[in-house]
Amino acid sequence: MLEIANLRKYFSSGLLWKQSVKAVDGVSFHIERGETLGLVGESGCGKTTVGRLLLRLIEPTEGKIIFDDIDVLQLKKNELRKLRPRMQMIFQDPDASLNPRMKIGDSIAEPLKLQGHLNSGGIKVKVLDLIETVGLNPEHRNRYPYQLSGGQNQRVVLARVLALNPDFIVADEPTSSLDVSIQAQILNLMKDLKREMHLTILFISHDLEVVRHMSDRIAVMYRGKIVEIGTANDIFEAAKHPYTKTLLSPSSDD
Ligand SMILES: Nc1ncnc2c1ncn2[C@@H]1O[C@H](COP(=O)(O)OP(=O)(O)O)[C@@H](O)[C@H]1O
Ligand SMILES: [Mg+2]
């Protein structure tokens, strides 16, 4: 489904761009169709940058991205626009992803309106359907984000993302801003939806337990590089890289 090779992103920093931050420094992996690949590593190691690169929200310094046999980095703007609905990203903070002045129902309808495939009646039906899919109530349609909990708002974000029937989702710490008690509900919902909708997911988290719960395979990232990749079993039972061992040790903060 997705293959990336030697992906690099260097950010300029400092006065007069004299220095560069090697946020992503030669990353290669593939994700099978229907697979969840977990990407784990401490804060600042480059996880979010990988996610943004995959969706071409930012341009890489170097590398190759093949999505469903499409060479993503060769696409022109209008071709990329056509691909966009198929690749979606969920961010950590639902509040930042939702317009506070828009009712929930309108927020979910927005991508459908922009896409322009359905008339207003069709959109209404689809919005109700999505609301049910993510475990919200029809009455939530007329509420605003501030009237909902963080977990409910992340369900709204999920509904918006699912509205366009994506094939591939980058979920970037989707539950990190939520109470622990709510986290499991959202994670299990994502797991169920993945199975039902045959989604392919890059699941990003700094939390190895969360990644283990969600992923078929796990990639461990450290300072811009993938230091280990394998099944949860490989990683948990036979970690080879010293950094992975640190992540696994109970005294580790991350
Ligand atoms: N737009 C940017 N400009 C400059 N530096 C950035 C930018 N985005 C990220 N970085 C830097 O790249 C590194 C990786 O960041 P990020 O991908 O957000 O890590 P993570 O998601 O693993 O916490 C960090 O050092 C961060 O400060
Ligand atoms: Mg991040």
Side-chain angles (χ1 to χ4, degrees):
M1 184 84 208
L2 182 91
E3 177 145 21
I4 65 172
N6 197 27
L7 205 56
R8 289 174 202 275
K9 180 66 181 179
Y10 297 171
F11 290 109
S12 322
S13 72
L15 269 182
L16 305 174
W17 295 275
K18 273 179 189 149
Q19 298 172 337
S20 81
V21 177
K22 297 181 176 179
V24 175
D25 198 15
V27 164
S28 306
F29 59 69
H30 74 279
I31 312 180
E32 305 277 340
R33 194 179 293 272
E35 184 182 39
T36 299
L37 178 70
L39 183 60
V40 69
E42 67 193 355
S43 174
C45 72
K47 306 181 295 297
T48 295
T49 305
V50 168
R52 293 170 70 206
L53 286 169
L54 291 192
L55 271 55
R56 215 176 145 188
L57 301 176
I58 50 174
E59 298 292 329
T61 308
E62 194 185 315
K64 210 167 177 66
I65 303 172
I66 308 293
F67 172 76
D68 202 14
D69 293 330
I70 301 165
D71 191 338
V72 176
L73 296 174
Q74 296 302 318
L75 294 181
K76 301 200 177 66
K77 259 202 177 131
N78 60 329
E79 297 168 321
L80 185 60
R81 204 174 308 129
K82 270 187 224 148
L83 187 65
R84 277 271 142 78
R86 298 185 57 196
M87 313 170 88
Q88 301 276 324
M89 189 150 176
I90 301 172
F91 298 94
Q92 175 170 348
D93 183 3
D95 296 338
S97 311
L98 295 174
N99 183 340
R101 293 195 197 129
M102 219 184 233
K103 287 180 183 167
I104 298 310
D106 295 333
S107 250
I108 299 173
E110 191 184 34
L112 295 165
K113 278 185 189 151
L114 288 173
Q115 188 184 39
H117 291 177
L118 294 171
N119 61 21
S120 63
I123 290 178
K124 237 178 195 166
V125 172
K126 179 87 181 173
V127 167
L128 275 172
D129 185 40
L130 286 162
I131 279 188
E132 192 189 330
T133 302
V134 299
L136 292 168
N137 300 320
E139 304 88 74
H140 286 129
R141 266 177 312 168
N142 296 316
R143 307 236 185 109
Y144 290 92
Y146 77 90
Q147 295 171 308
L148 269 57
S149 68
Q152 287 170 328
N153 277 329
Q154 200 57 303
R155 288 176 193 265
V156 176
V157 170
L158 211 48
R160 267 173 67 93
V161 160
L162 296 175
L164 299 179
N165 283 323
D167 302 302
F168 176 61
I169 294 178
V170 174
D172 188 3
E173 312 252 9
T175 60
S176 298
S177 69
L178 304 177
D179 291 344
V180 175
S181 58
I182 308 295
Q183 279 192 26
Q185 293 174 18
I186 300 289
L187 292 174
N188 288 330
L189 171 65
M190 287 187 67
K191 250 182 138 168
D192 291 345
L193 292 175
K194 179 216 149 179
R195 207 177 317 117
E196 285 161 25
M197 304 176 91
H198 308 290
L199 298 168
T200 305
I201 299 178
L202 179 71
F203 188 92
I204 297 175
S205 176
H206 65 279
D207 185 331
L208 197 51
E209 277 309 317
V210 168
V211 163
R212 176 189 217 170
H213 181 67
M214 296 301 290
S215 311
D216 301 302
R217 281 184 308 134
I218 297 173
V220 180
M221 195 167 179
Y222 180 64
R223 296 195 180 172
K225 297 181 195 296
I226 303 290
V227 294
E228 195 141 21
I229 187 162
T231 63
N233 247 11
D234 294 338
I235 303 285
F236 280 83
E237 308 304 333
K240 291 178 198 80
H241 194 276
Y243 173 67
T244 312
K245 290 178 186 163
T246 321
L247 263 186
L248 286 167
S249 78
S251 60
S252 160
D253 280 333
D254 268 318

